[in-house]
Amino acid sequence: DDWSLSQVEVSVPLQRVDLGDAKWNDSVLAGNLLDVANFPVATFVSTRVAPIDARPATVHRELTLHGTTRPLCMELVLNKIARYPLPPFRRTAGFSARTSIKRSDFGMQSWRSLVGDEVELRIEAELVRRDDHDASAKPDHVPAETPDDEPANP
């Protein structure tokens, strides 16, 4: 129930980015854009989580991308907490987060007129409790509109 006790850390191995076209992937991952040879991972680390109400919150964090770390705020929404319907029947929580950044703030100047400078970042996450050995155990907080027998669907 207390969002302020939450922490968020996400690492994205950029060499696994798939934009749907092999040649476009190669172009974006090359030295003039993401430069994954020198900066292979993007990292998001929360510094504070501030609740808005029972489901949404604002995550204050630092984004490290292309060798540059900058403060960033993301809107975070708890989509659902439920018992996953397939074995091992663990409690699962689904979250969505989003924000926009300017590539130029992270030192990426190439192709700004072609692909734009502003980029929307979205994180869709499904988290499973590691210590949930009892499939019938209830989490500390389940939103009233979340049926217990449906899977999380972030």
Side-chain angles (χ1 to χ4, degrees):
D1 288 335
D2 187 355
W3 284 94
S4 66
L5 299 175
S6 302
Q7 297 177 339
V8 179
E9 183 171 333
V10 177
S11 293
V12 178
L14 296 174
Q15 67 274 13
R16 294 181 61 191
V17 168
D18 185 354
L19 303 170
D21 179 274
K23 289 182 181 181
W24 183 238
N25 285 349
D26 291 343
S27 296
V28 171
L29 299 177
N32 59 345
L33 284 178
L34 287 176
D35 192 7
V36 297
N38 291 307
F39 310 108
V41 178
T43 305
F44 307 85
V45 179
S46 66
T47 55
R48 181 171 59 97
V49 178
I52 296 172
D53 63 31
R55 284 180 167 249
T58 300
V59 178
H60 301 268
R61 55 177 40 182
E62 291 185 340
L63 168 62
T64 301
L65 178 64
H66 202 256
T68 302
T69 301
R70 297 185 59 91
L72 178 69
C73 289
M74 292 189 89
E75 299 172 23
L76 178 72
V77 175
L78 168 62
N79 296 319
K80 187 181 231 180
I81 297 176
R83 181 180 66 87
Y84 199 76
L86 300 173
F89 305 110
R90 293 196 173 130
R91 302 306 276 164
T92 304
F95 293 91
S96 297
R98 65 178 29 182
T99 194
S100 293
I101 65 165
K102 288 188 176 182
R103 295 184 307 114
S104 58
D105 289 345
F106 293 88
M108 291 179 272
Q109 304 294 331
S110 297
W111 300 1
R112 285 178 27 190
S113 63
L114 179 64
V115 295
D117 191 25
E118 191 165 319
V119 177
E120 182 182 36
L121 298 179
R122 288 185 282 174
I123 298 172
E124 300 293 333
E126 187 172 277
L127 310 173
V128 177
R129 285 182 63 169
R130 288 188 207 161
D131 61 346
D132 192 3
H133 300 293
D134 180 5
S136 65
K138 299 265 187 224
D140 294 334
H141 170 72
V142 175
E145 67 274 18
T146 303
D148 191 37
D149 58 355
E150 292 184 12
N153 188 14

